[in-house]
Amino acid sequence: MSDTSANRRQRVQSAETGMSVLKALARLGGDASLTAIAAEVDENAAKVHRYLLSLVQEGMVAQNAATQHYHLGPESVRIGLAALRQCDPVRMGEMALVRLRESLQVTCFIAVMGNRGPTVLRIEEPSLPVTVNMRAGSVLPWLWSASGQAFLAFSDDADIRVQAQAEFDAGNEAQRSMLAGPDPVARLCRQVKEQGCAIVIDTLLRGISAVAAPIFDARGRVVAVLTALGASNGFDARPGGKVCPQVMREAATISHAMGFGPG
Amino acid sequence: MSDTSANRRQRVQSAETGMSVLKALARLGGDASLTAIAAEVDENAAKVHRYLLSLVQEGMVAQNAATQHYHLGPESVRIGLAALRQCDPVRMGEMALVRLRESLQVTCFIAVMGNRGPTVLRIEEPSLPVTVNMRAGSVLPWLWSASGQAFLAFSDDADIRVQAQAEFDAGNEAQRSMLAGPDPVARLCRQVKEQGCAIVIDTLLRGISAVAAPIFDARGRVVAVLTALGASNGFDARPGGKVCPQVMREAATISHAMGFGPG
């Protein structure tokens, strides 16, 4: 949110300090001494102790009677579980889809891992969309779509690798020729990981290019993929081009909102 | 903790109000309107709004631009994951073991589900212990120990049922005679659930009785069992007797510290 001075005036400073003490304890692994917590928030121990008393009072923190260390309490567990339950990549990604559509004038969507493969859940199209046969509910291939490739490369699910290999073996000559080398699936995964996103040009749909980047949850698992696509002739799908960095940045923003990475 | 007036004076009231707003949002499922949150904490909306601004500032809460609803933010996820990681039933149960040992003068332990079955992790013995061949690392049977019965009855893991049935089929005449009826394992589970604890008298060890109650984690799964045991002649193992209610109460306290049940 924008930190205007009106906003700052309305806020409650001690509530924020209390939260920062709680976050510091979480950063320290959820268990630490008063000294360590005070050092982490860069405040004096007496002040931090007062906030810890309040956090204990509210059940957010508990203190070990033997070691005097503080640890995250049952209310922190409850809040975390409620937060995890409502952590939905589609919901977290709504604004990212709108931003991508507006700034690039491309079709973009979020796909999750359905039981039949990568499945489009939410799609945004510009006012003059390229005509693609893709809608909410569409299931995409692992190797011949950017979304599938992004799931494949960033997931460590062995089942997906097996399915991708089966797709390769069943592919036609034109498809197989796009993936080269002795272990083409592994090679593709390495390349996508190095790029940070998957790029396909005319692979799934003739004349259509697409770029897909992974969305991670708080535990570091790929839970969704953010994809942008457009007509190949007006779509800059180069790794450092117009589309890739922005898709990767928006995917990273969604991952962060899901609790991925440092605070 | 004891809420002495000295303690209360030192605490920071607004930090506590901030936490109570956050907890209210979690109780409301992690997503709610300002009106609903204000009603839940029983404060006026203007005041609650100021606290929400601070919670948003700290990343604990986020606001949906379209609906104006508030939901738990990425920092709440991070704190919850850190809290879950350090939620260890043995650590949470240390004090309960000491209290049980002192007040009942019995041997008591916490067992978790190991890969070979219920496994004792931490044991406390009175100064004059009854001699039992049980120590940290001991693996217990499903049917012939109170700990195993408590896991069996409160878990919905089908594998455990299968293993318990195999144990029954392999049991000797004396063991099998203790469990009656057409489906003795299911009957035992019902009985243990109704009692809220498992009771065995002279089953695993001659002359030894034991009482075990389940410890649940924040998701409601049995993650450990708290067991007290003693010489049958001096150990009141009746359901409403001296031992059962106290073991059940201490197990419930540990479950609560793990985040189980309402706050």
Side-chain angles (χ1 to χ4, degrees):
Chain A
M1 69 185 300
S2 64
D3 194 14
T4 62
S5 64
N7 175 324
R8 205 163 29 239
R9 259 199 318 279
Q10 281 188 67
R11 281 164 17 211
V12 185
Q13 183 56 50
S14 351
E16 294 175 22
T17 306
M19 297 300 159
S20 68
V21 170
L22 189 65
K23 289 195 285 182
L25 181 54
R27 280 197 305 275
L28 292 168
D31 185 311
S33 66
L34 171 58
T35 316
I37 301 167
E40 178 72 18
V41 293
D42 199 17
E43 295 272 9
N44 74 67
K47 176 174 174 183
V48 171
H49 181 247
R50 292 175 56 225
Y51 282 92
L52 283 167
L53 286 177
S54 286
L55 289 167
V56 169
Q57 179 66 23
E58 292 293 316
M60 305 293 291
V61 167
Q63 188 174 21
N64 184 308
T67 64
Q68 300 286 309
H69 275 211
Y70 294 90
H71 58 267
L72 293 166
E75 292 299 336
S76 292
V77 175
R78 286 189 186 92
I79 285 165
L81 287 177
L84 281 170
R85 269 194 298 271
Q86 50 96 52
C87 243
D88 167 7
V90 174
R91 188 175 133 182
M92 300 293 171
E94 277 175 356
M95 296 313 295
L97 286 177
V98 171
R99 280 192 300 266
L100 274 184
R101 183 197 66 194
E102 290 305 305
S103 78
L104 298 174
Q105 290 294 311
V106 294
T107 296
C108 51
F109 61 83
I110 290 175
V112 299
M113 202 93 88
N115 58 346
R116 306 294 297 272
T119 307
V120 178
L121 279 198
R122 173 122 184 182
I123 188 162
E124 287 284 343
E125 294 187 300
S127 43
L128 291 169
V130 295
T131 311
V132 288
N133 185 18
M134 192 162 306
R135 62 177 71 87
S138 295
V139 175
L140 302 168
W142 297 110
L143 291 178
W144 324 120
S145 76
S147 309
Q149 289 184 3
F151 271 122
L152 176 65
F154 290 96
S155 164
D156 52 8
D157 187 332
D159 274 358
I160 297 180
R161 293 280 172 121
V162 170
Q163 291 176 37
Q165 187 60 51
E167 228 177 62
F168 181 79
D169 297 340
N172 61 36
E173 198 60 36
Q175 287 175 322
R176 292 162 63 104
S177 70
M178 288 182 294
L179 300 180
D183 189 347
V185 172
R187 188 167 164 278
L188 172 70
C189 289
R190 275 198 305 277
Q191 189 193 347
V192 169
K193 277 183 126 161
E194 275 166 27
Q195 284 171 176
C197 63
I199 302 170
V200 305
I201 299 175
D202 298 353
T203 304
L204 183 62
L205 300 157
R206 189 181 301 269
I208 298 290
S209 295
V211 167
I215 296 170
F216 298 99
D217 72 5
R219 293 189 178 86
R221 297 173 302 204
V222 201
V223 284
V225 155
L226 176 65
T227 305
L229 60 82
S232 297
N233 58 6
F235 188 90
D236 180 1
R238 289 168 303 168
K242 204 173 156 206
V243 176
C244 289
Q246 196 166 336
V247 170
M248 286 163 65
R249 199 161 48 238
E250 291 291 1
T253 303
I254 303 170
S255 300
H256 186 263
M258 300 278 293
F260 178 64
Chain B
M1 71 185 297
S2 64
D3 195 13
T4 61
S5 64
N7 174 328
R8 203 164 30 241
R9 259 199 318 279
Q10 280 188 67
R11 281 167 11 213
V12 186
Q13 183 57 48
S14 346
E16 293 175 23
T17 306
M19 297 300 158
S20 69
V21 170
L22 189 65
K23 289 195 285 184
L25 181 54
R27 280 199 304 275
L28 292 167
D31 185 313
S33 66
L34 172 58
T35 316
I37 300 166
E40 178 73 18
V41 293
D42 198 17
E43 294 274 7
N44 75 68
K47 176 174 175 182
V48 171
H49 181 246
R50 292 175 57 225
Y51 282 93
L52 283 166
L53 286 177
S54 286
L55 289 167
V56 168
Q57 179 66 23
E58 292 294 316
M60 304 293 291
V61 166
Q63 189 174 20
N64 183 310
T67 64
Q68 301 285 309
H69 275 210
Y70 294 91
H71 58 267
L72 293 166
E75 292 300 335
S76 292
V77 175
R78 286 191 186 91
I79 284 164
L81 288 176
L84 281 170
R85 269 195 299 271
Q86 50 96 53
C87 242
D88 166 7
V90 174
R91 189 174 132 181
M92 301 291 171
E94 278 175 356
M95 296 313 295
L97 286 177
V98 171
R99 280 191 299 265
L100 275 183
R101 183 198 65 194
E102 289 304 305
S103 79
L104 298 175
Q105 289 295 311
V106 295
T107 296
C108 51
F109 60 84
I110 291 177
V112 298
M113 202 95 85
N115 59 345
R116 306 294 298 271
T119 308
V120 177
L121 279 199
R122 174 123 185 179
I123 189 162
E124 287 282 344
E125 294 187 300
S127 43
L128 291 170
V130 296
T131 310
V132 288
N133 184 17
M134 192 160 310
R135 61 177 70 89
S138 295
V139 175
L140 302 167
W142 297 109
L143 290 178
W144 323 120
S145 76
S147 309
Q149 289 184 4
F151 271 122
L152 176 65
F154 290 96
S155 165
D156 52 7
D157 187 333
D159 272 359
I160 296 178
R161 293 281 172 121
V162 170
Q163 291 174 37
Q165 187 60 52
E167 227 177 64
F168 181 78
D169 297 339
N172 61 36
E173 199 61 35
Q175 287 175 321
R176 292 161 64 105
S177 71
M178 288 183 291
L179 300 179
D183 188 346
V185 172
R187 187 168 166 278
L188 171 70
C189 289
R190 275 197 306 277
Q191 190 193 345
V192 169
K193 276 182 127 161
E194 276 166 28
Q195 282 170 178
C197 63
I199 302 170
V200 304
I201 298 174
D202 297 352
T203 304
L204 183 61
L205 299 156
R206 188 182 300 269
I208 298 292
S209 294
V211 166
I215 296 170
F216 298 99
D217 72 5
R219 294 188 177 86
R221 298 173 302 204
V222 201
V223 285
V225 156
L226 176 66
T227 305
L229 61 82
S232 298
N233 57 5
F235 188 90
D236 179 2
R238 290 169 303 165
K242 204 174 157 207
V243 176
C244 289
Q246 195 165 337
V247 169
M248 287 163 65
R249 199 160 50 238
E250 291 289 2
T253 303
I254 303 172
S255 300
H256 186 264
M258 300 278 295
F260 177 64

